[in-house]
Amino acid sequence: MPHARSARSARSVRSARNARRRALRTAGAGVVVVAVAVGGVVLLLQQTTPQAAPRQDCTAALDGATWRLSPAQADNAALITAVSLRREMPARAATIALATALQESKLVNIDYGDRDSVGLFQQRTSQGWGTVEEIMDPVFSTNAFFDGLEKVPGYTELPVTEAAQAVQRSGFPDAYAQHEVRSRAWAAGLTGQNQASVVCTLTEADPVAAGDPAAIASARATLSERVARDFGDLAITEQGAASIVVDVTSLAPTSDDVGRLAWALAQWGVASAQATGVESVTVGGHVWSRDDGTWSTDQIGAETSDGEGAPTLAESSVLLTLAVR
């Protein structure tokens, strides 16, 4: 009988071992199935989940620091500063206006606000700033702000908070101060006092079809109209298929201001490029392009997007080129 019990025990051990082997094989197969399934889900998500859009932004450099704005904010900063230049106001006026708009609307032309406030400067129809339609016109509202600022005695010597408050009559007058350094950096670049300091990192511009002369002419005319809207009646000539050359001589109070104002318009061209579709800007031996988003000198003489070589520009001139494919 001991022999029979030993045989049964051996069979039990073998059965247990076989059961464990089958369980392990089943478990292993399950792991493989799960792994394949998870891998498939990950692959599917990678193929179907939209990839995050590349970050687009603009910066102005001053004293070793850079100050960021979104392309939409930079576009409005470019407009505000251009209007100050058109009115022959000092850079301090642009700094005050930019700090005010950053506080009031975050430099976005919004159609809502506290009570009846709207626009870049959150001006109120009930306070005599104009109609809603007028205030929502950024050129009108910017001029209205500067009209008020010019009436403030010695505004260039006042702290930003005091100068802005004298125009705005805000309930939070001290809030303007937090935007002063950022605004000064952008004003320095957009007035041309600080050259090659404004840059934008942007996605590719929507190109105009190279074989569509009417579309190219329309895009070039739209760009010229935007220059005129912001800076006034400057001399503009066509260059190549999709470029314009803008001469700032009539904008300059003196001949000494010509080079600075050329840089002002050039950096306006960069700051407004997302809105205008400009692909490259050439001034004073420097080129900014969407390809790398920086100012450089090694692109001078290279072909522009319309197949033309960049011209030799006068100190007073800026070349703005649209994308053509």
Side-chain angles (χ1 to χ4, degrees):
M1 295 302 293
H3 178 75
R5 282 197 297 270
S6 297
R8 285 197 297 272
S9 177
R11 285 196 296 272
S12 297
V13 169
R14 286 196 297 273
S15 296
R17 288 175 179 171
N18 291 336
R20 283 197 296 272
R21 291 193 186 101
R22 287 194 296 272
L24 287 172
R25 286 196 296 269
T26 301
V31 169
V32 171
V33 170
V34 170
V36 171
V38 170
V41 170
V42 170
L43 180 61
L44 180 62
L45 288 174
Q46 289 176 339
Q47 293 175 340
T48 59
T49 301
Q51 298 298 308
R55 175 168 174 166
Q56 302 186 83
D57 63 12
C58 299
T59 60
L62 183 67
D63 297 333
T66 56
W67 297 90
R68 179 186 176 274
L69 292 176
S70 71
Q73 289 174 312
D75 185 33
N76 287 321
L79 161 67
I80 289 170
T81 308
V83 172
S84 76
L85 293 172
R86 185 175 179 176
R87 296 173 64 116
E88 297 186 13
M89 300 181 77
R92 183 64 172 174
T95 296
I96 296 166
L98 293 175
T100 302
L102 277 165
Q103 175 59 31
E104 298 291 352
S105 69
K106 296 184 179 179
L107 254 178
V108 179
N109 195 30
I110 53 178
D111 60 358
Y112 59 89
D114 179 45
R115 287 169 285 189
D116 57 341
S117 300
V118 294
L120 283 171
F121 297 92
Q122 287 293 280
Q123 294 154 335
R124 299 177 60 188
T125 58
S126 62
Q127 299 298 313
W129 286 101
T131 66
V132 171
E133 183 178 5
E134 287 173 331
I135 297 171
M136 286 302 298
D137 176 352
V139 176
F140 177 94
S141 63
T142 299
N143 274 305
F145 177 84
F146 284 136
D147 287 344
L149 185 62
E150 285 184 321
K151 295 174 184 176
V152 179
Y155 74 84
T156 58
E157 306 302 321
L158 294 176
V160 165
T161 52
E162 293 183 25
Q165 176 64 1
V167 179
Q168 294 293 107
R169 306 296 181 187
S170 169
F172 305 95
D174 294 335
Y176 300 115
Q178 64 186 307
H179 306 292
E180 181 172 359
V181 180
R182 181 188 304 272
S183 299
R184 189 165 65 246
W186 278 91
L190 292 171
T191 59
Q193 292 184 339
N194 199 5
Q195 299 178 357
S197 63
V198 173
V199 296
C200 289
T201 301
L202 306 171
T203 56
E204 288 187 3
D206 291 333
V208 183
D212 191 344
I216 294 174
S218 176
R220 190 170 50 205
T222 298
L223 177 58
S224 298
E225 289 167 3
R226 173 62 193 269
V227 172
R229 187 199 78 167
D230 291 10
F231 287 97
D233 188 18
L234 301 182
I236 298 175
T237 56
E238 298 177 0
Q239 173 69 36
S243 300
I244 61 173
V245 175
V246 185
D247 191 293
V248 302
T249 301
S250 63
L251 188 68
T254 70
S255 59
D256 292 338
D257 294 307
V258 168
R260 173 179 65 82
L261 290 174
W263 268 103
L265 191 142
Q267 296 190 108
W268 168 94
V270 174
S272 61
Q274 182 69 6
T276 63
V278 162
E279 183 172 57
S280 67
V281 180
T282 305
V283 64
H286 292 72
V287 178
W288 170 88
S289 75
R290 285 178 183 249
D291 289 343
D292 55 21
T294 61
W295 288 100
S296 66
T297 58
D298 58 3
Q299 300 178 68
I300 298 297
E303 283 192 352
T304 59
S305 63
D306 56 5
E308 297 284 337
T312 301
L313 298 173
E315 181 190 20
S316 61
S317 297
V318 178
L319 176 71
L320 304 173
T321 301
L322 297 162
V324 176
R325 300 286 189 273

